[in-house]
Amino acid sequence: MADPQFNVSHGINLIVGAELFSILLLAEKISFNDNLPVLQKTTLQYKVPTSTPAQITCLVSILGSLVTQVKRFWKVEDFDHGKTFTAEEQLCEAQFAKTHTRNAEGRYVVRLPDRQEMVPLIGETWSMAARRLTAVEKRFRNENALHTSYVQFMDENQQLGHMEKIKTPVALPQFFLHHHAIHRLDSSTTNIRVVFNG
């Protein structure tokens, strides 16, 4: 055998790259029996593969040296080392640190960040939301099953704290999110899907 002390564990003398592996293999094999390893002939003499191969991790690089590749890998993985945040990212980070909490179920709750300079661009959304609600209510008069399912959905969202009733008029600026239902009688799970149109 090429290594007279192949049965003694010691340091690695040589790593053969994947691009050379197929060149080194030769066709000749020696099998002893089912319970023993097979000797595989290579240009470097015989190698002994295990009879039940363990999980093998193989990394192939054809660009640059291994040292350079490993340095680049750790640089990518260490993403926040020395990173500078923009002013907007710093505001988001500070807002998250100030407002995040954990609820009774262990979920994180955090306010959405807002940009005060964008608030005037929201515009007037009340009249559009009111028109859409009127259209949905008109549809309810003709479809009782839809009305019942829709009310159940809205009640559930109110109980979960996802929405709340408001008193009109409200102080502006506010964004009113209008909604409507898609009613699918052929659905196997639920026959209503409420769409919030932002």
Side-chain angles (χ1 to χ4, degrees), residues 40 69 76 84 86 131 134 174:
Q40 173 71 54
Q69 295 298 315
V76 168
T84 55
T86 65
R131 277 198 312 275
T134 302
Q174 293 287 336

Side-chain angles (χ1 to χ4, degrees), residues 10 40 64 77 87 89 101 112 155:
H10 52 78
Q40 173 71 54
E77 287 298 305
E89 289 171 332
T101 58
L112 289 173
D155 286 345

Side-chain angles (χ1 to χ4, degrees), residues 115-186:
R115 292 172 53 187
Q116 289 302 313
E117 71 275 12
M118 301 301 283
V119 171
L121 301 177
I122 290 174
E124 195 277 319
T125 58
W126 172 264
S127 58
M128 171 65 80
R131 277 198 312 275
R132 294 290 170 95
L133 181 59
T134 302
V136 168
E137 287 175 335
K138 185 176 177 183
R139 189 173 166 197
F140 288 159
R141 286 187 218 117
N142 300 325
E143 300 178 47
N144 287 334
L146 175 64
H147 179 250
T148 303
S149 298
Y150 207 83
V151 168
Q152 283 177 333
F153 175 85
M154 291 298 179
D155 286 345
E156 182 182 342
N157 273 276
Q158 190 174 346
Q159 288 167 3
L160 291 170
H162 297 167
M163 57 192 242
E164 62 186 40
K165 288 184 180 179
I166 59 168
K167 294 180 178 145
T168 54
V170 294
L172 295 177
Q174 293 287 336
F175 181 77
F176 297 95
L177 189 62
H178 54 270
H179 46 85
H180 64 278
I182 295 178
H183 199 201
R184 295 186 54 187
L185 298 173
D186 61 338

Side-chain angles (χ1 to χ4, degrees), residues 58-106:
C58 182
L59 304 171
V60 179
S61 173
I62 58 170
L63 302 173
S65 72
L66 181 60
V67 173
T68 306
Q69 295 298 315
V70 170
K71 282 181 180 175
R72 283 184 61 213
F73 170 78
W74 285 112
K75 189 174 183 181
V76 168
E77 287 298 305
D78 193 16
F79 64 94
D80 62 352
H81 180 68
K83 180 175 174 17
T84 55
F85 292 110
T86 65
E88 194 170 65
E89 289 171 332
Q90 288 173 357
L91 288 171
C92 283
E93 187 72 24
Q95 188 264 345
F96 173 82
K98 267 193 308 195
T99 66
H100 84 279
T101 58
R102 270 186 111 163
N103 65 15
E105 297 164 357

